[in-house]
Amino acid sequence: MSVTLPRILALETSCDETAVAIVEGARVLASEISSQVPLHRPYGGVVPELASRNHVINVAPLVRQALATANCDISQIDAFAATSGPGLSSSLLIGNTVAKALAVTTRRPYLGINHMEGHLLSPFLSAAVDPCPCVGLIVSGGHTMLIRMDEVGSYTLLGRTRDDAAGEAFDKVGKMLELPYPGGPEIDKLAASGDPKAYDFPRSMLHSGDFAFSFSGLKTSVLYQLPELREKAPAQEWLPDICASFQEAVIDVLVAKALKALAATSMNCLAVSGGVACNSRLREALRDRCADAGHRLLLPSAALTTDNAAMIGYVASLRFARGLQSELTEDIDPNLTLA
Ligand code: KG4
Ligand code: ZN
């Protein structure tokens, strides 16, 4: 007997991507994203006011586009969801207000969703498998954390970064190296032809005995290396090696701590998410190490790794199935935590 799952329209506007998706459980009927990266590139980072004003411009056409892609009418949507935090308040408010307005006019429920829960569960959406107990490694531009998930809704924070997030470190080092914003994908590309052992950068907190991270010391080490290099040779001669060595230092710590977390929790499934999970060397290292240790590894596709609304709709559908919904009076929370 086939069960009809609720059809959810979800909006994600926590930072600079405007995204709208329509899902039925793990079935993604539409996932539309309008990237603002080129708009923010001249500023070397996200400008909050520019982001929110462009969400306003992009959101209605994207909702229409998602409905067209899913070949459905707004009256066929069972509930509306939006990211309610964490993120930039002026950006969060746009998706939130639109979702609430759609819920009011169609007399359907509204669900406010935690962006980090979206990332955490995105590997399950991507693999189309039911969520199971796992350690979640979330590595994005704003967060780096290890989470123990016993079941959907039951999360324990094992550790997080004490300073920069992994993606933030990639972007800041990219800026120092005068690479286009965001630095993460550029460093990934350049590192492919570099020697990861060329520079011995610090692996901060590798042996700290906990699950905390720190990347600001590594960033400073790269900075100190640059004047001498710039003096000696043109950038194209040392850039690949610097990128590969920096990237390897980040990855060594992420992979080692994720494996330690699996051992400490006696879990055997690692679910990796967030924009940095696109990194080709990180994916390769995780695959190798998890295979050696006999752990199951869930790595989302690139489209579900960076910010998207399908992951928000997926979490909304899991909550809706449990009878949960949000009040229309519920506020956004730029500092919302997961555990
Ligand atoms: O999850 P995400 O799209 O947005 C946040 O919620 O932060 O992550 C964006 C981050 C940026 O810092 C970007 O540089 C990084 O993900 N990123 C990468 C790669 N692709 C995106 N970092 C390293 N290697 C990549 N290939
Ligand atoms: Zn994100």
Side-chain angles (χ1 to χ4, degrees), residues 5 13 82 115 129 213 262:
L5 291 165
T13 63
H115 181 80
V129 294
F213 299 92
L262 286 163

Side-chain angles (χ1 to χ4, degrees), residues 173-193:
V173 167
K175 205 169 185 175
M176 285 176 204
L177 299 175
E178 295 168 9
L179 302 175
Y181 171 83
E186 302 293 325
I187 290 176
D188 189 353
K189 270 186 256 159
L190 281 161
S193 58

Side-chain angles (χ1 to χ4, degrees), residues 14 17 115 119 139-143 167-168 170-171 182-185 188 247 274-276 278-280 305-307:
S14 64
E17 312 287 31
H115 181 80
H119 276 308
V139 273
S140 70
H143 298 85
E168 193 179 356
F170 268 96
D171 296 341
D188 189 353
Q247 179 177 274
V276 182
C278 280
N279 184 273
S280 49
T305 298
T306 47
D307 287 349

Side-chain angles (χ1 to χ4, degrees), residues 155-170:
Y155 312 121
T156 312
L157 178 69
L158 299 172
R160 66 186 333 145
T161 182
R162 297 207 171 147
D163 39 59
D164 292 343
E168 193 179 356
F170 268 96

Side-chain angles (χ1 to χ4, degrees), residues 64 113 193 210 217 225 230 253 287 299 324:
R64 271 202 205 100
I113 301 298
S193 58
D210 57 15
Q225 201 76 48
R230 287 193 166 122
V253 183
R287 280 198 190 102
L299 270 174
L324 299 171

